[in-house]
């Protein structure tokens, strides 16, 4: 996991060789797109993968046992196809700056260093539970952030859970909150949520200067069309 500094913000690009237990999902279609993008929240519509099956006899296109929620206490069955993010294209005050680059999508808040980023990754494999794998990935992020020479005063993370929407209800993520200081002396706050789903891992990060970070902004971002398109 290599860290790059953008306008003073240490923006994490997790798709690197140093991320040994997960790799960026490059299961793209012919156009190079690996995730779906939601439409403007103002029109009340979202776009999802047009190849997603709706045949109830197709095990790769239907949720198991009428799934409406997937808590961390329940390990996901292996998806038939890679889970993808339906990612918000239009959020007031934000610009969609990265689209489907090796499984990464990103919004940048106008006039700010705030970023909102989604990731879809393949895991190298684990015998642990979804909950343990999800937290282990976030623990690794904290460790590598702490070792970055451009970052200092990385706080001890706090952990919790977060519910995000999917095309089959909700899925529970492990949530990590921490702060750090850049070489420019600016303190940033990061919220990262991650969830292991079989051999895949999906994650979202909201990072901003500490004084600009807000819980209401986080809630607005995850409610503006963000959705996990499951591979069942």
């Amino acid at each position: 996991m290599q860290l790059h500094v953008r306008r003073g913000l240490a923006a994490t690009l997790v798709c690197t060789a140093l991320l040994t237990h997960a790799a960026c999902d490059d299961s793209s279609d012919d156009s190079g797109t690996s995730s779906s993008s939601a439409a403007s929240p103002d029109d009340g519509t979202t776009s999802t993968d047009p190849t997603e099956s709706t045949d109830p006899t197709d095990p790769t296109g239907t949720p198991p046992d009428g799934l409406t929620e997937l808590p961390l206490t329940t390990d996901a069955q292996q998806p038939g196809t890679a889970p993808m993010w339906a990612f918000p294209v239009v959020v007031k005050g934000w610009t969609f700056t990265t689209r489907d680059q090796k499984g990464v999508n990103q919004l940048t808040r106008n006039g700010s260093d705030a970023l909102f980023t989604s990731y879809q990754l393949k895991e190298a494999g684990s015998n642990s539970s979804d909950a343990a794998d999800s937290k282990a990935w976030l623990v690794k992020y904290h460790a590598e952030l702490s070792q970055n020479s451009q970052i200092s005063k990385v706080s001890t993370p706090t952990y919790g859970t977060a519910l995000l929407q999917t095309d089959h209800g909700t899925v529970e993520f492990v949530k990590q909150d921490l702060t750090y200081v850049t070489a420019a002396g600016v303190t940033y706050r990061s919220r990262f949520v991650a969830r292991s789903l079989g051999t895949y891992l999906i994650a979202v990060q909201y990072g901003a200067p500490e004084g600009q970070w807000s819980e209401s902004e986080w809630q607005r971002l995850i409610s503006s069309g963000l959705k996990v398109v499951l591979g069942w």
Side-chain angles (χ1 to χ4, degrees):
M1 187 182 303
Q2 188 176 14
L3 300 174
H4 301 274
V5 175
R6 173 195 167 274
R7 292 165 51 199
L9 170 61
T12 30
L13 302 180
V14 298
C15 302
T16 70
L18 292 179
L19 188 56
T20 56
H21 68 300
C24 282
D25 177 25
D26 57 4
S27 55
S28 306
D29 60 22
D30 291 340
S31 65
T33 300
S34 59
S35 66
S36 302
S37 297
S40 165
D42 295 334
D43 64 16
T45 64
T46 60
S47 84
T48 56
D49 183 3
T51 64
E52 180 189 3
S53 172
T54 57
D55 180 354
T57 66
D58 179 0
T60 67
T62 56
D65 303 322
L67 176 75
T68 58
E69 60 181 24
L70 184 62
L72 279 162
T73 52
T74 300
D75 290 345
Q77 72 170 34
Q78 176 64 26
T81 58
M84 300 183 299
W85 286 106
F87 195 74
V89 175
V90 179
V91 179
K92 186 177 181 180
W94 292 73
T95 299
F96 192 25
T97 53
T98 301
R99 182 193 297 267
D100 298 320
Q101 293 188 9
K102 291 292 186 178
V104 176
N105 293 281
Q106 189 171 83
L107 296 171
T108 303
R109 189 164 62 203
N110 301 338
S112 169
D113 287 336
L115 300 174
F116 184 66
T117 313
S118 73
Y119 307 90
Q120 47 204 53
L121 311 166
K122 289 180 181 177
E123 295 194 280
S126 170
N127 295 321
S128 300
S129 65
D130 285 3
D133 282 351
S134 304
K135 185 171 182 180
W137 189 83
L138 292 169
V139 168
K140 182 176 177 65
Y141 163 72
H142 173 255
E144 293 182 356
L145 190 70
S146 300
Q147 294 167 10
N148 188 280
S149 61
Q150 300 179 78
I151 303 298
S152 64
K153 298 181 180 178
V154 181
S155 69
T156 300
T158 59
Y159 291 94
T161 62
L163 289 177
L164 272 67
Q165 291 296 316
T166 80
D167 55 341
H168 295 308
T170 60
V171 63
E172 188 175 22
F173 285 67
V174 176
K175 179 180 67 176
Q176 178 200 71
D177 286 290
L178 56 79
T179 60
Y180 56 87
V181 178
T182 68
V186 179
T187 300
Y188 284 86
R189 178 173 174 182
S190 162
R191 171 168 293 172
F192 229 142
V193 300
R195 176 63 194 252
S196 177
L197 297 168
T199 59
Y200 299 99
L201 187 138
I202 53 177
V204 170
Q205 183 183 33
Y206 165 41
E210 191 171 35
Q212 299 175 20
W213 199 103
S214 76
E215 187 69 36
S216 61
E217 185 87 283
W218 162 258
Q219 292 298 330
R220 184 167 75 94
L221 288 164
I222 65 173
S223 303
S224 296
L226 183 74
K227 181 183 293 187
V228 181
V229 181
L230 295 169
W232 292 311

